[in-house]
Amino acid sequence: MPGTVIIGSQWGDEGKGKVTDFYGETADLVVRYQGGNNAGHTVVVGDRKMKFHLLPSGIMRAKHVFIGAGVVIDPRVLKKELENLEKIGKEVHLTIDPRAHIIFPWHNLEDGAQENEHGGEKIGTTGRGIGPAYADKCYRTGIRFEDLINEKRLKQKVEKVYPFKKKLLEKTFGVKIKETADEIFNQYNELGKEFLQYVGDVSLEVNEALDSGKNVMFEGAQGTFLDNDFGTYPYVTSSHPISGGVATGVGMAINKISRIIGIVKAYTTRVGEGPFPTELTGRVGDDLREKGQEYGTTTGRPRRVGWLDIPLLRTSMRLNGFTEIALTKLDVLSGFEKLKVAISYSHSGKTFDYFPYSMRSVEKAQVQYREFEGFTLSGKEKKFKDLPKSAQNYIKFIEEKMGVPIKLVSLGPERSQTILVD
Ligand code: IMP
């Protein structure tokens, strides 16, 4: 059975955790392919709210979860998340690819120091060391999971990298690294011993599972416009959240994926800096933020909020090839008298119905909106036809503009607050 991918179509925080959990029930395997603990997925199961940053959120349902080569792993965070699962008696079947790169304390310090260097032009990273860990991978000086679980290799690598990082941090950024090389080695070596049980060739195992007809789900983190190449560079993350990232992040061929679910939040949000054409900065924006509880799962930062953006979504469709859409947080729009949706941008006499490649155009663009009647939900809607007509129109408009069916509408964090559209 070919694999299913879950992708954030906007700037992340679209509610992928809930959708992965929803579909994860039927998945044999759930696989993460990029990012690290910059992600924040919330899954509500009964009265229990679980937050995941590094482990795939599908862990609550799937039989077996995988962390692919394209992920960067902070073992200190992995330990905490595994302990939290142990506390609730959840059995974990986890496999980690030996090729995945490891986040060390110097990466966290570099992340913060780089941001300070940017002065007024910060990226607004999560501060989790993600960018520096990926940079070391590209420099070919990174330390991988296969090194973490091998005492001798870990010692050699830490001894080699530490003096360089210390010099860089102290001399360039004036930042002191408080741990000694031995302290870091000892801490990471302990973690490596603990995690040895999880090592396995994720590329091989996932390909075998796909070939033998297993149901495999690939769980994206962040969102399309945080993609390092196709997002709003430089205000992006350092990995590839788009669907093409699955092949390189896991080690598999693109023709093994047949279902690509785009998660579209019914409005738009982004955390951190960077262009955001439909951003709402006044009272409507504040109301949306409060109703949608738009505060970062990882950093607690208030998210920037704005109207739904069709040019952005059409571009997302082009970059990802969605085969269906899951529309989330429609309930948050309930009670607004009027809703707006961006339908095009214009700049220098040109009109765009897609997201321009030039960030200058995006920043300077005028946005053309279409207004929709608002709607009020009762909370009892179980089927598409139970939704108010104006909500149905809003959904159909998105479907028509994206050219792909909306198969799921989420009206709240609970599994029961989900409408499957025939
Ligand atoms: P980094 O991934 O920590 O380097 O942060 C780079 C940019 O991506 C910042 O704007 C972050 O706020 C954003 N970002 C990273 N992870 C997430 C996420 O899971 N959801 C939303 N934004 C994110």
Side-chain angles (χ1 to χ4, degrees), residues 11-13 38-40 123-127 130-131 222 226 236-237 271-272 301:
W11 276 289
D13 308 314
N38 46 351
I123 288 166
T125 73
T126 59
I130 306 294
Q222 290 82 48
L226 290 173
V236 293
T237 192
V271 204
R301 289 179 290 178

Side-chain angles (χ1 to χ4, degrees), residues 148-382:
L148 181 77
I149 56 177
N150 178 322
E151 182 163 343
K152 202 166 143 217
R153 283 173 66 92
L154 181 66
K155 194 156 184 55
Q156 280 169 356
K157 296 261 174 183
V158 170
E159 279 173 358
K160 188 165 167 211
V161 173
Y162 183 89
F164 170 75
K165 291 292 182 182
K166 187 175 159 69
K167 197 157 104 191
L168 173 80
L169 283 163
E170 288 184 359
K171 297 262 185 312
T172 310
F173 297 117
V175 172
K176 256 197 129 35
I177 177 161
K178 63 177 197 303
E179 299 97 334
T180 62
D182 275 350
E183 281 165 351
I184 293 176
F185 164 73
N186 288 334
Q187 184 191 14
Y188 274 62
N189 188 36
E190 281 307 307
L191 292 165
K193 281 188 197 151
E194 235 173 275
F195 299 153
L196 178 63
Q197 59 182 310
Y198 300 122
V199 69
D201 190 336
V202 171
S203 165
L204 182 68
E205 289 188 36
V206 169
N207 273 280
E208 281 177 354
L210 286 163
D211 292 345
S212 65
K214 294 236 166 75
N215 184 349
V216 184
M217 181 172 282
F218 300 94
E219 178 179 323
Q222 290 82 48
T224 297
F225 290 89
L226 290 173
D227 185 273
N228 194 256
D229 283 319
F230 294 98
T232 44
Y233 193 89
Y235 303 100
V236 293
T237 192
S238 304
S239 64
H240 298 288
I242 59 175
S243 60
V246 176
T248 51
V250 176
M252 57 184 271
I254 46 177
N255 62 2
K256 295 223 166 130
I257 300 163
S258 66
R259 187 178 179 205
I260 306 175
I261 307 175
I263 315 300
V264 175
K265 194 187 285 198
Y267 47 98
T268 314
T269 60
R270 90 171 286 179
V271 204
E273 305 308 316
F276 185 171
T278 65
E279 183 167 16
L280 287 162
T281 47
R283 194 183 53 78
V284 181
D286 292 343
D287 284 356
L288 255 181
R289 181 178 306 106
E290 283 316 306
K291 280 193 74 182
Q293 277 306 292
E294 296 295 353
Y295 295 90
T297 314
T298 302
T299 57
R301 289 179 290 178
R303 295 181 186 137
R304 298 158 65 195
V305 297
W307 296 121
L308 193 76
D309 186 335
I310 294 291
L312 184 95
L313 292 175
R314 284 168 53 83
T315 309
S316 195
M317 177 69 201
R318 159 158 53 87
L319 294 171
N320 291 295
F322 300 133
T323 56
E324 65 189 81
I325 298 296
L327 183 70
T328 59
K329 298 191 96 164
L330 188 72
D331 54 304
V332 175
L333 295 182
S334 173
F336 284 90
E337 208 179 310
K338 299 272 179 212
L339 301 172
K340 285 186 177 183
V341 174
I343 49 165
S344 57
Y345 304 162
S346 55
H347 176 237
S348 302
K350 273 177 84 178
T351 302
F352 301 88
D353 63 356
Y354 54 88
F355 206 74
Y357 74 83
S358 149
M359 283 312 107
R360 273 186 63 74
S361 300
V362 173
E363 273 159 11
K364 300 215 153 167
Q366 301 279 315
V367 183
Q368 286 78 48
Y369 289 96
R370 172 160 164 182
E371 203 168 76
F372 285 77
E373 279 304 309
F375 49 82
T376 302
L377 301 176
S378 67
K380 296 202 183 96
E381 295 84 359
K382 295 279 169 238

Side-chain angles (χ1 to χ4, degrees), residues 20 27-32 54-68 78 82 85 90-97 198 202 205-206 217 219:
T20 307
D28 297 303
L29 279 66
V30 175
V31 188
R32 260 197 78 173
L54 179 58
L55 285 168
S57 52
I59 200 162
M60 296 305 286
R61 307 273 171 198
K63 298 185 187 87
H64 196 154
V65 295
F66 291 78
I67 294 181
L78 181 60
L82 289 169
L85 287 167
K90 175 90 192 126
E91 217 185 306
V92 172
H93 295 285
L94 167 69
T95 303
I96 301 176
D97 199 288
Y198 300 122
V202 171
E205 289 188 36
V206 169
M217 181 172 282
E219 178 179 323

